[in-house]
Amino acid sequence: MSPKPTAELLAAAVEKLGGQRRAGQEKMAEAVAVAFQTERHLLVQAGTGTGKSLAYLIPALAFAVREEKCAVVATATLALQRQIVERDLPLATAALAGELGREPVAALLKGRQNYVCKHKLEGGYADAEEDLFEATGVPEAGWRGALTGSALAEEVARLQRWARQTDTGDRDGFPGGASPRAWRQVSVSGAQCIGQKCPVYEACFAEAARAAAGQADLVVTNHAMLAIDASVTPVLPEFDVLVIDEAHNLTRSLTSARTAELTAVQVAGAARRLDGLGVEAAALRKAADEFEAALDAAREGRLREGLGPTLAGAVAGVRAAARTALTEVANLADAPATAKQLTSAALQELEETAHRLEAGGGDVHWVERPANGPVALKAAPLQVAADLRATVLDRATAVLTSATLALGGSLEPAADAAGLAPGEWDGLDVGSPFDYRRQAILYLAGDLPEPGRDDSHREAQHRRLRELLEASKGGALGLFTSQRAAEAAAEALAPEVDFEIGVQGSKSLGALIDEFVADPHACLFGTISLWQGIDAPGATCRLVVIDRLAFPRPDDPVMSARAEAADKEGRSGFMTVSAAHAALMLAQGAGRLIRSVEDRGVVAVLDPRIATKRYGQFLIRSMPPMWLTQDRSVALGALTRLAAAAEAGAGEGAGKPAP
């Protein structure tokens, strides 16, 4: 019997899942199947509501089973990873079992630090735990506040009880989530693991996950693991086809995964580990002091002319001292295995990081002085495209997909960012099941003053925001480019409106989102994680407000270096880097509004530059194709009708913001 075509497999899966046929989903699934068969890379923009996860899972699973090969799906966020593993994959594999002759096997693979270490849980690292709470040398705050004393001890105790009962050891399985400080009590990094020397190696959660991935037809992982596999050490099974979901985040994810940093606290911590092993640490301690002094003398920001003699000399001193200490630790005969491994891992990280900082290569270097952490010397790759191309895309057929992949209406910027040349890839935009021009208005406040150093723009913006909120009677998601701006808007408006305004940072984000979704009048103001990470369908979110265009900060070391490099190559650094970043953020932010075919609403951009500058059209073409207006009365009228519809539990169409 000949294999069923992709369209029939998808139709069978959709029917068994109780879903409805979607033209965009079918078109995407067919294109993905063709890409795998012809070994041509594919870029697909699939709008919200397309069902793109199923559109690539069905052909990927079918290809893997029929060809007896491995497929990998890499996502940027844990939320999507969890959705695929817990919802989409089980349904897809069960639906395909009868069509493919057997049920496809899928597995989830994360970094080792995401799994409980049984050896550590049983006290195997007790001889080397003196600085478990000193990852940065400063108190860790911002996650459930400052976890100290009894609160931390209680969480660790809960973690330990859970860790002895879990079947997977996966951090995401811990009810309520685990703080980083508590999680370090029950986990180790790849460098800290003692490998096959471990007495409980055969029962290791991380090794079990890797073994399962090695036998699976399809493996779900994340962009960071993909970066590690490409540039550091193989951590994924050999794969033949690759799907990169949330591909709009790929460059940022790879850059983050390949960013290195060196602090004096790290060096001093390694010296303390040497003390614990009885190894002379004077040279490393001296290197830490000299490096700290060099950092204190260095100016903050990008190091355009290299490290300079003082900083370069201090980095060389760290590398030399770490290399010498590594040899001494390796020669220890009777040291406890775990303490020796942790010390060697810390020293090796110092030596490798210092070597990279000295070498320079294609890296951007800068000094960073965070408000709540030690001064750090950092390095990030100037470009990741060539590396991604050479290490990943030349060895496997890749499908890159996202709801916001076509910046300025073109897929070429995304292809360039992935290192793909014209003629090496096919592109497809399957659209969206939403009728944006009937469901949403894009209101551009072109009459407001431009952002500046004085408060005139902010005051005018707050007045316009108040008008919008009063017309909509709340139900607004405010997306701001800084925490200070979000807090200032809430502080100015809260006394003047009759509904609650939640502000990111005032309590856990999950609790704020729950309150926002539960109350049709509540508002939620926040920053970056809300631009991309919130899903609130229905009347609860009928207004999305964007305070200003999200251009990178002028002093961002990596972005500024990439813009300068583009200018030198004869391209526009502003359009290639800054405008592209702003366009992506606008597309993501505007995408928070329409999440179902019943949703109606207004996206209001309160930065007039989108309406008055030449690059504005590029930004608008990157957003969903909403009905466009600069008429304030149109936006306010639509919001008034939406508010009335929400109050009355409106019937079909009553809340449409048609002009």
Side-chain angles (χ1 to χ4, degrees), residues 141-468:
W143 197 100
R144 296 182 178 175
L147 280 173
T148 57
S150 60
L152 178 60
E154 180 181 343
E155 184 183 11
V156 170
R158 286 194 299 110
L159 253 179
Q160 291 172 334
R161 289 193 297 270
W162 167 83
R164 290 185 171 89
Q165 300 169 355
T166 175
D167 293 327
T168 65
D170 188 337
R171 178 177 180 173
D172 280 342
F174 180 61
S179 70
R181 292 181 71 180
W183 185 254
R184 284 198 296 270
Q185 288 276 44
V186 296
S187 66
V188 297
S189 67
Q192 294 169 333
C193 175
I194 60 177
Q196 296 184 5
K197 297 178 183 178
C198 179
V200 292
Y201 179 79
E202 297 299 326
C204 176
F205 287 125
E207 290 300 324
R210 292 191 67 174
Q215 299 299 314
D217 300 302
L218 185 143
V219 177
V220 178
T221 188
N222 54 49
H223 291 181
M225 288 285 281
L226 188 64
I228 294 170
D229 189 78
S231 62
V232 182
T233 184
V235 292
L236 299 173
E238 285 296 320
F239 57 91
D240 301 275
V241 294
L242 168 69
V243 177
I244 302 176
D245 204 343
E246 301 175 303
H248 62 274
N249 269 327
L250 184 60
T251 296
R252 183 167 57 186
S253 298
L254 297 185
T255 300
S256 177
R258 299 179 189 179
T259 296
E261 75 170 37
L262 187 64
T263 70
V265 170
Q266 290 174 278
V267 185
R272 287 195 299 276
R273 290 196 179 278
L274 289 177
D275 290 335
L277 289 175
V279 176
E280 176 56 52
L284 196 60
R285 193 168 285 109
K286 179 183 178 183
D289 292 340
E290 292 177 349
F291 182 57
E292 183 174 30
L295 280 177
D296 288 342
R299 61 178 179 80
E300 184 176 16
R302 182 175 155 204
L303 303 176
R304 295 174 177 272
E305 306 301 326
L307 300 184
T310 302
L311 200 51
V315 171
V318 170
R319 183 165 71 93
R323 186 172 60 245
T324 300
L326 263 173
T327 301
E328 295 180 11
V329 171
N331 292 331
L332 291 175
D334 301 323
T338 52
K340 185 175 178 179
Q341 179 66 26
L342 289 176
T343 304
S344 296
L347 291 169
Q348 186 170 350
E349 182 181 2
L350 288 181
E351 199 276 335
E352 291 176 352
T353 301
H355 177 69
R356 177 178 169 183
L357 291 167
E358 282 185 288
D363 282 341
V364 180
H365 296 87
W366 72 98
V367 172
E368 187 169 293
R369 302 181 188 277
N372 59 349
V375 184
L377 176 59
K378 292 192 171 187
L382 178 61
Q383 302 291 349
V384 296
D387 201 13
L388 176 68
R389 166 66 187 271
T391 56
V392 175
L393 300 184
D394 280 348
R395 86 185 205 216
T397 303
V399 172
L400 284 73
T401 185
S402 167
T404 54
L405 201 60
L407 298 182
S410 171
L411 290 167
E412 291 183 4
D416 290 342
L420 296 174
E424 295 181 329
W425 57 278
D426 296 317
L428 179 66
D429 185 344
V430 299
S432 169
F434 306 147
D435 187 348
Y436 281 105
R437 287 185 62 82
R438 290 182 58 82
Q439 291 183 247
I441 285 177
L442 174 59
Y443 165 56
L444 309 181
D447 60 324
L448 291 178
E450 289 190 12
R453 295 184 180 276
D454 57 36
D455 291 332
S456 60
H457 166 71
R458 178 173 293 183
E459 292 170 357
Q461 186 184 82
H462 289 172
R463 288 193 296 271
R464 186 63 49 84
L465 179 53
R466 178 184 175 182
E467 291 177 342
L468 294 167

